[in-house]
Amino acid sequence: MMFAVAAAGLIIPMLMALARGLMGPTLYDRVLAGNSFGTKTVLLIAVLGFIGGRPDFLDIALLYALMNFVGTIAILKFFRYRNLGIAGDAENGNGNGGAT
């Protein structure tokens, strides 16, 4: 019963994060809301796995957490450098990562 209440209690902050992502005035508000929504999704998957007696849901939750982290970093890198290539491309234009 307690974990069912916890699962229901995670839905409200997820809806709030979704609303913040849709209304956010800046890009960084939207990225933060998306990351927060992903983190709460990881918690919800773990709680639902515990409720259902499926411990393999924890593996899925960990995988989703890793994908959420990498996706957030990729989005932030893209909006800063306007590409996902080598970091040296935007700085010196030679394409070899800053090595001369």
Side-chain angles (χ1 to χ4, degrees), residues 5-87:
V5 171
L10 282 171
I11 300 293
I12 294 170
M14 288 175 74
L15 292 174
M16 291 171 65
L18 187 64
R20 185 63 189 172
L22 294 174
M23 295 185 321
T26 66
L27 170 75
Y28 298 107
D29 288 332
R30 291 185 172 105
V31 170
L32 181 63
N35 191 14
S36 176
F37 186 84
T39 301
K40 286 167 184 49
T41 303
V42 169
L43 291 172
L44 184 64
I45 291 171
V47 168
L48 290 178
F50 188 81
I51 290 171
R54 304 275 312 259
D56 51 336
F57 274 29
L58 290 177
D59 295 335
I60 296 170
L62 287 173
L63 178 66
Y64 189 79
L66 181 63
M67 288 174 33
N68 184 32
F69 174 72
V70 170
T72 300
I73 298 299
I75 288 171
L76 289 174
K77 181 178 178 184
F78 177 76
F79 281 110
R80 179 164 184 186
Y81 298 113
R82 295 291 179 203
N83 68 2
L84 292 175
I86 300 171

